[in-house]
Amino acid sequence: MTLTGLYVPLITPFDASGAVALDALTVLAHDVLDAGAAGLVALGTTGEPTSLSGEERREVLDALVAVCRTRRAHLLVGANSVEALHALGERPEVTAALSLVPPFLRPGGAGVLAYFAHLAKASPVPLVVYHVPYRTGQQLSADELRRLADLPGVIGIKYAAGGIDTGTVDFLADLRPGFAVLGGEDPLISPLLALGAHGAIVASAHVATTDFVQLVEHWHAGDLTRGRPLGHRLAGLSAALFAEPNPAVIKAVLHAQGRIPTAAVRLPLLAASPDAARRALGHLNELTSLPT
């Protein structure tokens, strides 16, 4: 199984009392699947999992498991410890765990490989490695990424390297069969797809979901004429949605659209500024007013 297509890492909406708005979360999940997303990501960074209680995390996961069971959609779940991975074994709807390269310690490439070999051996579900070096402090070479791809139980990578350099080009030029590269840097999804990525995990796709689905389809079909201009427009939208720490601006836009009850985030995040929300809404309105 190679993961392809668009995956949306869902926010966690909160109601006016500060509780998780599970009904709104369920509607959001159905909305993005209706728009063509291949699957969902539960408890990723966009979902503010470290700001949720254990009970809230279980409720969020229960809600998204129920949606994916009904829709027969893929479900990736953020899990970064053996204990968290073991809990996923009780949920047959889970396609894979999304597991972060160990942050802060910077154990080196050999340490990262040993870490994921250990996790994959202990995990009842396959792993998708989340590589985001500007957050973790750990860069990996193209050769180290390919060695990750060779580990049993590791089926893909969320690739969010902070840019596209010769290492990115080298890595995407020699992909292992059955190993999925999912772009995770929202403004750079189009060039990553052009270089051979199989799909994307895109928080920006809470809005303009259909456009992101079409972007993946255009590049997979080799349709440069439509893929390139759509990619440029979506990059501008993504830049506006990430102008302040994620998911604050996305939540502000969803609230302005009436799709979630509040735009609230939990500390240490702060609510989006009115200017950032207006700019993002402007980009979205401009995108939706253009002919397809």
Side-chain angles (χ1 to χ4, degrees):
M1 174 188 65
T2 301
L3 300 175
T4 62
L6 176 72
Y7 296 79
V8 182
L10 287 176
I11 63 149
T12 302
F14 302 118
D15 64 22
S17 73
V20 175
L22 291 171
D23 288 346
L25 176 64
T26 297
V27 171
L28 279 178
H30 281 292
D31 282 349
V32 299
L33 293 174
D34 287 342
L40 310 174
V41 179
L43 303 176
T45 307
T46 302
E48 302 174 72
T50 59
S51 299
L52 304 178
S53 68
E55 181 179 357
E56 288 173 328
R57 289 193 292 272
R58 285 190 294 274
E59 290 174 344
V60 165
L61 186 52
D62 285 343
L64 297 184
V65 160
V67 171
C68 289
R69 181 190 307 122
T70 300
R71 302 296 297 271
R72 297 187 178 183
H74 289 302
L75 178 63
L76 309 184
V77 181
N80 299 300
S81 68
V82 171
E83 180 183 14
L85 290 166
H86 280 170
L88 299 182
E90 304 167 1
R91 299 178 180 272
E93 300 82 3
V94 175
T95 305
L98 181 63
S99 300
L100 185 66
V101 170
F104 188 73
L105 295 174
R106 295 191 291 180
V112 171
L113 287 162
Y115 171 79
F116 278 110
H118 171 69
L119 281 190
K121 185 176 181 180
S123 178
V125 298
L127 304 185
V128 173
V129 172
Y130 184 9
H131 180 45
V132 54
Y134 57 88
R135 289 179 183 265
T136 65
Q138 177 65 67
Q139 187 59 260
L140 296 171
S141 69
D143 180 63
E144 288 164 342
L145 292 172
R146 281 190 281 269
R147 289 166 64 194
L148 268 178
D150 288 334
L151 292 176
V154 175
I155 63 169
I157 187 168
K158 178 181 177 182
Y159 189 81
I164 295 176
D165 58 13
T166 55
T168 301
V169 175
D170 183 6
F171 172 52
L172 287 167
D174 182 22
L175 296 177
R176 299 295 192 257
F179 182 79
V181 177
L182 302 174
E185 195 76 35
D186 289 32
L188 299 179
I189 292 305
S190 188
L192 286 171
L193 289 166
L195 287 168
H198 299 88
I201 297 176
V202 184
S204 301
H206 281 85
V207 300
T209 313
T210 301
D211 296 279
F212 280 101
V213 170
Q214 290 176 344
L215 180 68
V216 176
E217 291 174 349
H218 291 336
W219 282 117
H220 283 178
D223 190 345
L224 179 67
T225 302
R226 290 192 289 179
R228 179 183 286 169
L230 180 57
H232 285 309
R233 295 196 297 271
L234 290 175
L237 173 63
S238 292
L241 291 170
F242 278 77
E244 294 178 2
N246 184 50
V249 182
I250 291 172
K251 282 189 163 185
V253 170
L254 291 172
H255 179 55
Q257 294 177 322
R259 298 173 64 192
I260 58 175
T262 75
V265 293
R266 288 184 178 173
L267 291 171
L269 297 174
L270 299 175
S273 67
D275 284 347
R278 278 194 296 269
R279 286 193 295 271
L281 284 164
H283 276 276
L284 181 60
N285 291 336
E286 181 181 347
L287 179 70
T288 55
S289 68
L290 292 171
T292 58

